[in-house]
Amino acid sequence: MNQCQYASTCPIYSVFKTETLKNIYIKNYCNGPKMGNCQRLTMRESGKVPPKELLPDGKMLTATHFNAKK
């Protein structure tokens, strides 16, 4: 199975509160044929650094998400 070269170091996964949600994103955006749908990967491939708030589906987290993480 193909895996995104950035999957093991992707900073977005540290903000998820549950492993279930994290694993859903990994399954849908980091592995296999859907990997090309990841907006973070798309930005990296175009030479840009994705903001830490950018989810793989293109949605943006707010400061509240980061402040709630303990």
Side-chain angles (χ1 to χ4, degrees):
M1 177 186 303
N2 292 335
Q3 183 177 34
C4 175
Q5 63 183 339
Y6 304 106
S8 64
T9 59
C10 188
I12 197 65
Y13 298 115
S14 66
V15 301
F16 292 125
K17 293 179 182 177
T18 67
E19 285 295 310
T20 302
L21 185 56
K22 175 182 168 183
N23 289 333
I24 289 170
Y25 272 96
I26 289 172
K27 179 181 176 187
N28 288 319
Y29 294 97
C30 302
N31 298 321
K34 294 182 181 181
M35 190 169 54
N37 295 333
C38 178
Q39 296 304 303
R40 296 183 63 80
L41 178 61
T42 300
M43 284 189 78
R44 282 183 177 254
E45 289 178 338
S46 69
K48 299 175 185 171
V49 176
K52 67 178 183 178
E53 301 88 0
L54 181 65
L55 288 168
D57 61 8
K59 295 178 183 172
M60 297 291 280
L61 294 173
T62 64
T64 305
H65 294 102
F66 291 97
N67 294 335
K69 175 87 174 138
K70 299 288 181 194

